[in-house]
Amino acid sequence: MKDAFAREITYLRLSVTDRCNLRCRYCMPPAGTAGGLCSAGELLEIVRQAAACGIRKVRLTGGEPLVRPDILDVCRGAAATAGVEELCLTTNGTRLPAMARPLREAGVDRLNVSLDTLRPDRFARLTGQDCLGDVLRGLEAAAEAGFTGTKLNVVLLAGFNEDEIRDFVELARRYPLEVRFIELMPIGEGVHGTFLPAQAVLDACPELLPAGDGGVARRFRLPEGRGMVGLIAPMSHRFCTGCDRIRVTADGKLKPCLHSGKEFPLRGLAGEGLRRELLRGIAAKPASHRLTETGRSGTGRTMNQIGG
Ligand code: SAM
Ligand code: SF4
């Protein structure tokens, strides 16, 4: 299905929960959020009808998807949905030591793991939990379970992890990972004064060699590296002309754009009625976000509700 600007919409990002076992300071309020959540049945009906509208790739996100007790049922159902060619999941990695293999067996094709620091004290300060070791063990468990093409998401934070850019790039040299540096967006809790442009990565690592674009990321390789480096720069390098995605929040509202306040409630709908609403949402996608002009996201939501 094409939107009003002739962009083919093939990618659904589905937030399965707003709950999380971490409290990353730029993402989530300390007390958490507690909206109503879609049931597994509701989520799978959304996936089915979205696939009928032309969605081919589904990403489960949150909040932390792995705190949802029925996450494996959701994965199995989404992976088995006719038309879904790729099922991905974004996680903070803390529960992967136990969950990597069951997720693989449930049909998840690829993982994105978020990790902003390799130093235990900083990890505890940023997330409120002293469990960096679990994430590192989770990355190993993912490789052992047979996951390939795993991406590591690193949010760039001035005064916090800019001195670790080279350490993360070194991971991409040693392991077959894509390390993706992401610019902090002024959304929800988005911490003021900590924005660091993606250019900081190129300044710190002049040896990076351009390797084309991959979705929203500009990609780079390293001489003799096993992995890749990606830069996702929604603030300094707008990529809306190639946008192929829609989002559904943890409480079942379709968001045509991450940064727009417009939402289309999907709960309570099924079959043709749900399809009609999905198509209305796709048709309402704006040409681009206005983050650069306004300095603020228009979403009115925190990131744990939308899923990044
Ligand atoms: N809990 C999972 C995780 O952390 O990967 C999935 C949900 S989390 C909201 C998805 C991604 O959004 C993470 O990589 C996180 O770092 C990123 N994120 C959260 N708030 C952000 C912000 N204000 N700007 C940029 N990225 C953000
Ligand atoms: Fe939780 Fe992910 Fe948000 Fe961190 S970024 S608080 S892990 S939802």
Side-chain angles (χ1 to χ4, degrees):
M1 161 79 187
K2 283 197 168 55
D3 73 359
F5 302 94
R7 295 172 296 197
E8 193 74 43
I9 307 304
T10 55
Y11 178 16
L12 167 67
R13 296 178 62 102
L14 185 58
S15 176
V16 298
T17 180
D18 59 351
R19 280 46 158 195
C20 186
N21 57 332
L22 302 185
R23 288 289 181 276
C24 301
R25 298 213 323 233
Y26 53 76
C27 174
M28 201 164 170
T33 55
L37 298 183
C38 292
S39 66
E42 286 172 320
L43 291 172
L44 292 176
E45 178 63 4
I46 291 171
V47 172
R48 259 191 303 276
Q49 299 309 329
C53 295
I55 293 296
R56 295 290 166 260
K57 170 175 169 181
V58 175
R59 175 176 302 283
L60 305 179
T61 176
E64 173 50 39
L66 302 190
V67 304
R68 220 187 131 110
D70 57 1
I71 188 64
L72 293 175
D73 296 333
V74 176
C75 292
R76 268 189 291 269
T81 301
V84 173
E85 291 166 6
E86 193 179 12
L87 178 65
C88 305
L89 184 139
T90 301
T91 172
N92 61 33
T94 53
R95 299 202 173 174
L96 277 181
M99 292 290 286
R101 196 166 293 278
L103 287 169
R104 185 84 190 137
E105 287 166 3
V108 176
D109 294 303
R110 273 197 314 103
L111 295 174
N112 282 15
V113 178
S114 305
L115 180 61
D116 303 329
T117 174
L118 298 168
R119 312 226 181 143
D121 55 324
R122 289 185 183 177
F123 186 93
R125 210 156 19 101
L126 181 71
T127 69
Q129 294 291 324
D130 186 5
C131 58
L132 171 62
D134 293 341
V135 184
L136 299 178
R137 274 190 295 282
L139 283 167
E140 275 170 29
E144 279 160 19
F147 281 105
T148 56
T150 300
K151 293 179 180 155
L152 200 64
N153 287 349
V154 184
V155 175
L156 288 164
L157 298 164
F160 179 77
N161 62 5
E162 54 191 306
D163 58 346
E164 294 187 62
I165 289 174
R166 287 203 69 86
D167 299 341
F168 277 110
V169 169
E170 178 59 19
L171 288 182
R173 200 180 61 73
R174 295 206 339 234
Y175 301 102
L177 285 172
E178 179 168 332
V179 175
R180 305 202 312 172
F181 294 97
I182 302 173
E183 286 181 350
L184 181 70
M185 291 179 275
I187 183 171
E189 298 297 299
V191 183
H192 296 290
T194 48
F195 174 77
L196 186 66
Q199 180 62 33
V201 176
L202 301 178
D203 294 344
C205 305
E207 70 275 27
L208 289 173
L209 303 166
D213 289 349
V216 295
R218 278 181 292 154
R219 301 175 86 215
F220 298 82
R221 53 186 185 78
L222 285 149
E224 291 164 40
R226 294 180 71 198
M228 302 283 288
V229 170
L231 300 184
I232 302 184
M235 301 298 287
S236 62
H237 185 262
R238 194 183 287 190
F239 42 68
C240 303
T241 47
C243 185
D244 58 357
R245 58 196 60 193
I246 48 172
R247 295 176 158 80
V248 175
T249 61
D251 57 356
K253 306 223 169 95
L254 171 66
K255 283 186 88 65
C257 170
L258 168 60
H259 299 293
S260 133
K262 215 177 245 176
E263 297 186 346
F264 294 78
L266 303 180
R267 289 191 83 183
L269 299 175
E272 205 186 320
L274 176 51
R275 241 175 7 253
R276 206 174 311 120
E277 209 54 17
L278 286 165
L279 294 175
R280 243 164 50 84
I282 290 173
K285 274 180 72 63
S288 74
H289 68 63
R290 301 189 61 246
L291 279 180
T292 340
E293 295 88 328
T294 62
R296 198 71 218 147
S297 175
T299 180
R301 297 269 199 164
T302 51
M303 206 60 141
N304 63 305
Q305 298 171 306
I306 313 170

